[in-house]
Amino acid sequence: MARRRDSSQFLDWDAARLLYELRRRGLTWAAISRRAEPPIKGDGARKVARQSWPNAERAVSAALGVPVEVIWPSRYPAKRDAA
C-alpha cells in the first residue's frame, strides 16, 4: 500500500524554480551565500531546496524579494489573524 504524502510539500518551490528565479535576477547561490548575515560557507545556500536551514532560507527570500512563507509554505505555516 502506498504511503500518503502531506500535500503541503508540493507547494514548496523546487530547486529548479529557485534556480530559475535566481538566474532571472542575475544572482547565483554563491552570491547569496556571501551576502547572508552571517555569511554561509561556500555556496551552501543551495542546500535550502533539500533541507531546512533558516539562515539560508532568509537569505534566499531576501535576494528574491519573496517572503519565506511563499517559497516554503510547509516549513513556515501561514500566520493566522488573532480573532
Side-chain angles (χ1 to χ4, degrees):
M1 180 154 83
R3 245 192 250 172
R4 204 170 211 176
R5 293 184 179 183
D6 180 13
S7 63
S8 65
Q9 77 183 20
F10 298 113
L11 301 175
D12 291 352
W13 290 14
D14 62 0
R17 178 159 183 198
L18 287 169
L19 183 59
Y20 168 78
E21 294 294 338
L22 291 174
R23 287 186 176 170
R24 198 176 83 153
R25 291 166 173 80
L27 297 169
T28 63
W29 290 116
I32 291 174
S33 295
R34 285 190 301 269
R35 292 179 189 173
E37 282 298 323
I40 302 166
K41 291 186 179 191
D43 59 350
R46 81 172 58 206
K47 293 179 183 176
V48 299
R50 294 188 312 267
Q51 65 189 40
S52 180
W53 188 355
N55 183 33
E57 290 165 1
R58 287 189 300 273
V60 170
S61 171
L64 295 177
V66 178
V68 290
E69 297 87 11
V70 173
I71 301 173
W72 296 283
S74 68
R75 299 178 192 176
Y76 296 91
K79 297 174 185 164
R80 296 185 183 214
D81 295 330

